[in-house]
Amino acid sequence: MGYRKVYRTVDEQTTKKMVKMLQRHGIMAYGKSEGAGEILQITTGIPYQGRVVYVKEEQAEEAKKRIADWEKKGEFPELLRTQSHTPKARIAALIWVIIIVMGILFNIGFSMFR
């Protein structure tokens, strides 16, 4: 009796549109930012994993069918993706980790030789 991911996008507007369309068809849905926290609908951090639409488990198959129909009609150009990470998001996250680690190491090294 939980919720299941049925759609992933990088665009908040697409997420909102998808949620509204699903709700108009009687499907309980909500959108959430992945990879960043949300407090009072304010995203904190970098949502590097995109945005995800969740629906009730018992309505997931119906939601996937409707989404596929909308994609065929061209209403949503992105294909249905249920992977947890896209390759671009993984690369971006890796680059940020490298930058942060290099900054920390530089600061440690700089403070040791002061």
Side-chain angles (χ1 to χ4, degrees):
M1 284 274 186
Y3 284 81
R4 190 183 317 168
K5 295 178 189 180
V6 293
Y7 191 79
R8 178 181 304 279
T9 184
V10 295
D11 181 15
E12 184 175 351
Q13 297 303 323
T14 303
T15 304
K16 288 180 179 180
K17 185 176 179 182
M18 176 65 71
V19 168
K20 285 181 183 179
M21 290 179 75
L22 288 168
Q23 288 174 346
R24 273 190 228 131
H25 287 88
I27 297 172
M28 296 290 294
Y30 71 95
K32 182 179 176 226
S33 181
E34 294 276 294
E38 282 188 338
I39 301 169
L40 300 174
Q41 296 183 351
I42 298 171
T43 302
T44 58
I46 301 171
Y48 62 89
Q49 295 178 8
R51 299 194 56 87
V52 177
V53 174
Y54 289 89
V55 299
K56 283 198 160 209
E57 282 184 356
E58 56 269 8
Q59 295 177 316
E61 293 306 315
E62 180 185 352
K64 287 180 183 180
K65 182 181 174 197
R66 288 198 184 274
I67 292 168
D69 289 343
W70 294 330
E71 287 175 341
K72 285 178 189 173
K73 293 177 185 175
E75 294 182 37
F76 291 97
E78 297 182 43
L79 296 175
L80 177 65
R81 290 178 282 174
T82 56
Q83 298 174 351
S84 61
H85 307 296
T86 63
K88 285 183 182 179
R90 288 181 183 176
I91 291 169
L94 180 62
I95 290 170
W96 277 110
V97 167
I98 290 170
I99 290 170
I100 291 168
V101 169
M102 293 300 291
I104 292 169
L105 292 175
F106 178 77
N107 283 332
I108 291 171
F110 185 72
S111 64
M112 289 177 69
F113 295 108
R114 237 178 158 184

